[in-house]
Amino acid sequence: MIKIGIIIGSTRPGRIGEAVADWVLAHSKKRSDAQFEIIDLKKFNLPLLDEPVPASMGHYSQPHTKSWAQKVAALDAFVFVTPEYNHAPPAALKNALDFIYAEWNNKAAGFVSYGSAYGARAVEQLRLIMGELQVADVRAQVLLSLYTDFENYSIFKPKPNHEAELTAMLDQLVAWGEAMKSVRSKVAPR
Ligand SMILES: Cc1cc2nc3c(=O)[nH]c(=O)nc-3n(C[C@H](O)[C@H](O)[C@H](O)COP(=O)(O)O)c2cc1C
């Protein structure tokens, strides 16, 4: 069975991303086709990128890089739970993506985004980044509105229709995550 990490893209105090990730995890318990776990960037406490060599060269020098790489290497696919900061993904998420390289390659990703414009612009930027990281990102997406899915912009109360959207996204993600396993057996990371 493939392993899917639900990555919380926000690290700030009072973040609403944690409740969204918890909702994804609770929903995933209804499935038996993949194992899911929450990956909290806050717990990895990565500094701003402090590796002397670009990650694609594969020489990780810092203990925090190695432990982050080890966690990502153990996963087959990712759900990025992301807010939108200034029409982009949070710097903490971009930083975590930049830290490592081969561990992302030839895996699959899906997105659950939120914001006043549903976090759509942040995800469009993430899709560009996924291309460079050689991550296959699925089309189906969960788009949450700060106005209608959060009470007072803070308490997560998703509209019921998002359950079906999440199922659709996870269906694609599990299928692609399984397919990318076979790709990894044929293609060396580069
Ligand atoms: C630095 C910053 C920039 C933001 N920029 C946007 C934005 O461009 N679009 C948007 O919809 N919301 C924006 N917001 C509002 C966030 O959607 C809202 O604060 C949300 O709660 C952030 O997610 P989090 O609580 O998980 O960190 C911004 C928030 C912050 C902190």
Side-chain angles (χ1 to χ4, degrees):
M1 210 186 306
I2 64 164
K3 291 187 182 147
I4 299 181
I6 302 163
I7 299 180
I8 310 178
S10 164
T11 53
R12 65 179 194 95
R15 63 191 170 163
I16 56 178
E18 206 170 342
V20 179
D22 288 343
W23 172 72
V24 175
L25 183 68
H27 179 96
S28 75
K29 304 273 185 218
K30 297 175 197 160
R31 308 180 68 101
S32 56
D33 54 358
Q35 287 174 3
F36 293 81
E37 66 175 295
I38 287 184
I39 311 293
D40 191 348
L41 294 184
K42 202 168 182 172
K43 290 191 182 144
F44 282 87
N45 204 20
L46 293 166
L48 279 176
L49 183 60
D50 60 351
E51 285 289 344
V53 177
S56 57
M57 308 291 281
H59 301 297
Y60 303 152
S61 64
Q62 304 285 359
H64 49 257
T65 313
K66 289 175 187 169
S67 93
W68 176 232
Q70 195 179 24
K71 173 47 79 184
V72 174
L75 299 165
D76 300 293
F78 317 99
V79 174
F80 290 102
V81 173
T82 185
E84 183 173 292
Y85 292 169
N86 297 316
H87 295 199
L93 176 54
K94 175 65 164 63
N95 189 51
L97 289 167
D98 292 343
F99 248 103
I100 55 177
Y101 186 72
E103 294 75 13
W104 299 116
N105 292 175
N106 299 310
K107 294 184 178 173
F111 302 96
V112 175
S113 61
Y114 52 95
S116 55
Y118 309 93
R121 295 165 295 209
V123 170
E124 288 305 300
Q125 294 199 19
L126 282 167
R127 289 187 188 280
L128 286 175
I129 297 164
M130 293 297 113
E132 178 58 11
L133 293 176
Q134 304 183 63
V135 175
D137 49 319
V138 302
R139 177 178 188 244
Q141 182 177 335
V142 181
L143 296 134
L144 302 164
S145 164
L146 220 45
Y147 304 116
T148 55
D149 295 307
F150 297 86
E151 215 172 79
N152 297 325
Y153 313 108
S154 55
I155 300 161
F156 186 40
K157 296 210 169 153
K159 294 270 180 226
N161 58 302
H162 296 307
E163 286 280 334
E165 293 162 7
L166 182 54
T167 300
M169 187 273 278
L170 292 177
D171 285 349
Q172 286 191 349
L173 184 62
V174 171
W176 284 33
E178 280 166 0
M180 294 311 284
K181 246 180 145 167
S182 135
V183 171
R184 284 203 298 287
S185 71
K186 293 174 194 151
V187 181
R190 53 170 298 167

